[in-house]
Amino acid sequence: MCGIVGFTGRRQAAPVLLSGLKRLEYRGYDSAGMAVRNGDAPAEVVKSTGKLIKLEEKTDHGQTLAGSCGIGHTRWATHGEPTVVNAHPHVSGNCQGSGSGPVESDVVGVHNGIIENYVELKEKLLRHGYEFYSSTDTEVVIKLIDYYYKKYKIGPVDALTRTMVRVRGSYALEVMFKDYPQEIYVARKDSPMIIGISEGESYIASDVPALLNYCRSVYYIDNLELARVLPGEVHFFDLNGDEIPKEPTEITFSVEAAEKGGYEHFMMKEIHEQPRVIADTLHSAVQDGRIDLGISEETLKNISQIYIVACGSAYHVGVISQYVLEELTNLPVRTELASEFRYRKMNLDPDALVVVISQSGETADSLAALRQAKTKGLKTLAIVNVVGSSIAREADYVFYTKAGPEIAVATTKAYSAQLVAMYLFALKIGEVRETIEDIAKYLQELESLPGKVERLLDDKERLQWFASKLSNTNSIFYIGRGLDYAICLEGSLKLKEISYIHSEAYAAGELKHGTISLVEKGTMVISSLTQPDLYEKTVSNMVEVKSRGAALVAIASYGYYSIEDCADFVVYIPKTLPVFAASLAVIPMQLLAYYAAVARGEDVDKPRNLAKSVTVE
Ligand code: G6P
């Protein structure tokens, strides 16, 4: 996600900010900016899109920005496209906030996270004469701080606490107030932020690597706390504005380990980010029980067919969505591989909606399929992670998943975010077409998913132990029926792409039509059993392969304890509504694939022959 840095001390700030931002480049970003203050003068703001080198060129490697107090940011777009206006820092005044020379504004700041109620807050601020230039939630929060600062004339700490009470969502905020030269204020909730002190100077960062060149002794700000940072000095406060004591922590790990958040691989880090990604995606679309995916209710009422088109894991999300949409709506659905769809001579329903799912928004086949659909006059909706990507720009409607940058080639968190987006899509259609009665029940269950994913992640040691045994296997089958079959498609792909163990996903009922001939003593078969009405049918298929010598693993919902009579190893997943089971069952499958690949010594984050974004046909 976005990166934050800050510095106040004796040296020129801009070069320190740039070197910190460089350390955060691995997280991915699409634009960057800095604000630097020289003594009492207001802040000077410089921003650019693209790589950091552009910001360096604009400022002659920071040399043209005088002053020893400043803040910096790399932005991964979530609200609004990656443009200079949308880049941070944002300012409180009625001006764009970036140009030549200092900006006359009382508050200037940067932000990581998502402000969920920014639309409502923006309306309030508009009524109070504030103007907006960007489409970001950040500009709203900076102006809200300014509003409280001036309304109550209460100083920075109180202006921030009032803001913190008023906003919903996650944030790491870093701001400077014109009346307080050489000082930086920070606040956080559910978005990391740390402060380091060394030899009369202070450093701020959203992530440890940005600080490691300068200091090893850091303070962690806890949730709903804020801090006043001066050169070589920091004071912490709680939400009441009362000062709180805090002890620094000594950092002993390397830059490389810090980049991965302490995990051995980006894939594991991203697996652990899934609870947050699910919650962020959910909250970005649901406000006060209403789902808004950026596509009108009128459009959803009038469509007569849905085509879902995607590649790889995004295609697997499409297959799951087909089952979910069939369950919750009355619309016919077809899920197609983009590489097939684009060349099919299909007789397409002119009133259909084509949904293209893509993490990168740049996959060549998915983009071509989208263009093909548009040429035929069909309406298109993109479910995309990268803001401003080609698919996002060309589709009629776009909903952005909130997975943040994904570094490991094998997708995990983007897949989970796409699933949530598609559940919401199905619920919205069910609502407008009146095929769902109690939408609140489904939304409530979605709210509980992050906690349930956490529980699965807490139990990972058992899977690690099992994966070490599984890693010697040559071939593995994944079987399931209905939605469980769709879950198996992803489990099998995860395993083969990073561990290089041959694997196949099969609709359990189809095994007997050929593939069962490959099952012999010791063949590993992994079954997914999350759908109550298909449970017994799948168990019968498990018994069939067991009688031919297969070693059985079951991934089953809590309550199906009789599975232990048949399976050799069972992983239970927390109970959920059957339509949402994929979000839970996929977690042990990701972990099994990960641990098997690690046990075999493979390059987990960069598997051979694979690319993160496939922009060729
Ligand atoms: C590549 C990636 C997969 C991804 C697929 C589709 O093969 O390795 O993880 O699912 O492309 O990519 P997209 O960016 O369109 O989701």
Side-chain angles (χ1 to χ4, degrees):
M1 282 280 203
C2 310
I4 286 182
V5 295
F7 172 76
T8 178
R10 294 182 298 267
R11 273 177 293 165
Q12 196 181 359
V16 179
L17 298 176
L18 283 169
S19 94
L21 290 176
K22 270 203 150 107
R23 285 287 188 199
L24 300 179
E25 275 195 298
Y26 71 95
R27 298 159 65 104
Y29 64 100
D30 44 49
S31 51
M34 296 185 282
V36 176
R37 293 196 64 179
N38 191 8
D40 291 346
E44 193 163 339
V45 180
V46 187
K47 317 196 232 185
S48 67
T49 54
K51 292 288 158 200
L52 265 181
I53 183 86
K54 292 229 224 140
L55 197 62
E56 290 181 315
E57 281 166 8
K58 258 190 170 172
T59 60
D60 189 17
H61 299 272
Q63 294 309 321
T64 59
L65 283 177
S68 55
C69 177
I71 57 180
H73 189 263
T74 44
R75 174 173 187 251
W76 162 272
T78 55
H79 290 84
E81 305 221 328
T83 58
V84 170
V85 176
N86 285 337
H88 303 204
H90 289 279
V91 301
S92 60
N94 284 341
C95 58
Q96 286 212 8
S98 171
S100 49
V103 185
E104 278 302 334
S105 256
D106 287 304
V107 185
V108 50
V110 299
H111 157 236
N112 282 357
I114 295 172
I115 304 297
E116 288 164 17
N117 56 339
Y118 82 104
V119 175
E120 156 203 333
L121 296 171
K122 187 171 181 175
E123 279 161 13
K124 168 193 166 86
L125 291 165
L126 281 167
R127 287 198 297 276
H128 287 280
Y130 285 89
E131 289 172 16
F132 290 86
Y133 302 90
S134 74
S135 25
T136 64
D137 50 346
T138 304
E139 191 181 1
V140 176
V141 77
I142 298 302
K143 288 184 173 166
L144 188 68
I145 297 169
D146 183 69
Y147 169 76
Y148 286 130
Y149 181 62
K150 290 188 176 127
K151 181 171 178 187
Y152 297 107
K153 304 199 175 20
I154 43 181
V157 170
D158 290 317
L160 276 165
T161 54
R162 284 190 187 251
T163 305
M164 290 161 79
V165 171
R166 191 68 177 79
V167 298
R168 284 202 308 273
S170 59
Y171 50 82
L173 272 166
E174 184 188 44
V175 288
M176 297 190 291
F177 291 79
K178 196 172 117 220
D179 304 335
Y180 294 81
Q182 216 62 44
E183 298 189 11
I184 302 173
Y185 290 81
V186 297
R188 70 154 286 213
K189 175 175 173 272
D190 298 334
S191 215
M193 180 88 100
I194 49 174
I195 297 167
I197 307 281
S198 171
E199 295 173 7
E201 299 189 307
S202 301
Y203 304 83
I204 301 163
S206 54
D207 210 350
V208 174
L211 296 185
L212 288 183
N213 270 351
Y214 302 104
C215 47
R216 292 256 158 190
S217 173
V218 303
Y219 295 90
Y220 287 88
I221 313 178
D222 286 323
N223 258 349
L224 294 172
E225 288 180 356
L226 58 156
R228 173 181 175 223
V229 187
L230 301 101
E233 194 181 323
V234 58
H235 303 271
F236 295 93
F237 303 88
D238 62 18
L239 256 194
N240 297 319
D242 293 332
E243 191 156 349
I244 43 175
K246 213 174 261 289
E247 289 301 317
T249 308
E250 207 60 31
I251 294 192
T252 49
F253 42 86
S254 67
V255 172
E256 213 213 356
E259 284 178 350
K260 291 173 185 153
Y263 295 104
E264 205 180 328
H265 299 97
F266 283 110
M267 183 176 174
M268 198 49 150
K269 176 171 177 265
E270 288 160 5
I271 286 175
H272 280 80
E273 282 170 359
Q274 289 177 111
R276 184 181 53 72
V277 157
I278 290 171
D280 284 352
T281 303
L282 182 61
H283 296 152
S284 73
V286 184
Q287 305 275 326
D288 303 323
R290 285 194 59 77
I291 302 169
D292 181 3
L293 293 170
I295 181 165
S296 73
E297 296 193 352
E298 203 52 30
T299 308
L300 294 176
K301 241 182 219 160
N302 293 330
I303 53 176
S304 54
Q305 160 91 45
I306 296 171
Y307 299 109
I308 302 173
V309 186
C311 300
S313 296
Y315 167 76
H316 296 159
V317 171
V319 181
I320 287 168
S321 309
Q322 181 165 330
Y323 288 102
V324 176
L325 281 154
E326 284 168 354
E327 180 76 28
L328 299 179
T329 78
N330 54 6
L331 276 174
V333 189
R334 280 183 69 151
T335 299
E336 299 284 334
L337 288 162
S339 53
E340 290 291 309
F341 181 86
R342 61 185 292 196
Y343 295 116
R344 290 272 285 275
K345 308 265 185 298
M346 282 168 72
N347 190 4
L348 296 172
D349 180 340
D351 295 321
L353 175 71
V354 175
V355 183
V356 180
I357 308 174
S358 174
Q359 187 282 127
S360 62
E362 301 294 349
T363 302
D365 285 319
S366 302
L367 182 58
L370 172 84
R371 288 179 176 158
Q372 171 96 336
K374 288 192 79 176
T375 313
K376 295 194 171 165
L378 272 63
K379 291 192 185 63
T380 54
L381 165 68
I383 305 289
V384 172
N385 196 40
V386 178
V387 176
S389 55
S390 303
I391 292 173
R393 277 186 279 112
E394 293 190 27
D396 298 317
Y397 309 97
V398 58
F399 175 73
Y400 289 113
T401 50
K402 297 287 186 279
E406 199 175 51
I407 313 261
V409 167
T411 181
T412 51
K413 62 174 181 168
Y415 169 91
S416 284
Q418 288 163 353
L419 277 181
V420 172
M422 290 306 287
Y423 298 154
L424 293 171
F425 175 64
L427 291 175
K428 185 71 192 175
I429 294 182
E431 188 185 27
V432 301
R433 298 174 74 96
E434 295 175 8
T435 53
I436 297 178
E437 274 174 19
D438 188 4
I439 196 138
K441 174 186 85 175
Y442 290 94
L443 290 177
Q444 202 181 342
E445 185 54 33
L446 284 178
E447 282 290 347
S448 76
L449 284 183
K452 291 176 180 173
V453 172
E454 290 282 7
R455 271 162 60 195
L456 284 160
L457 293 172
D458 285 346
D459 198 26
K460 58 182 187 288
E461 273 71 28
R462 245 184 106 236
L463 285 160
Q464 182 174 16
W465 168 82
F466 184 75
S468 63
K469 296 169 78 173
L470 168 151
S471 64
N472 298 321
T473 313
N474 292 328
S475 185
I476 297 186
F477 294 94
Y478 285 74
I479 62 168
R481 284 171 180 258
L483 215 141
D484 280 310
Y485 164 56
I487 298 169
C488 286
L489 290 172
E490 179 62 7
S492 167
L493 179 69
K494 273 304 76 98
L495 182 80
K496 76 176 98 174
E497 68 183 338
I498 58 171
S499 74
Y500 314 141
I501 299 172
H502 166 258
S503 83
E504 283 182 52
Y506 251 80
E510 186 65 13
L511 268 183
K512 56 185 170 291
H513 297 293
T515 307
I516 202 164
S517 66
L518 293 174
V519 175
E520 52 189 8
K521 191 166 169 14
T523 304
M524 179 88 63
V525 178
I526 300 180
S527 315
S528 180
L529 303 111
T530 65
Q531 304 298 302
D533 49 344
L534 296 168
Y535 173 74
E536 283 179 0
K537 300 270 176 210
T538 305
V539 171
S540 306
N541 298 123
M542 290 171 72
V543 172
E544 272 162 28
V545 290
K546 192 177 174 85
S547 64
R548 285 156 180 87
L552 290 181
V553 178
I555 295 173
S557 302
Y558 269 109
Y560 296 161
Y561 302 121
S562 62
I563 197 68
E564 291 186 24
D565 300 339
C566 164
D568 303 294
F569 183 78
V570 183
V571 182
Y572 289 109
I573 62 161
K575 277 195 177 142
T576 185
L577 293 173
V579 278
F580 302 147
S583 290
L584 302 180
V586 76
I587 306 294
M589 293 188 184
Q590 293 170 345
L591 290 167
L592 273 181
Y594 172 82
Y595 285 126
V598 171
R600 289 163 71 101
E602 305 301 353
D603 187 352
V604 175
D605 285 334
K606 290 198 193 80
R608 68 186 179 211
N609 305 338
L610 297 180
K612 184 77 193 151
S613 176
V614 183
T615 52
V616 291
E617 200 178 335

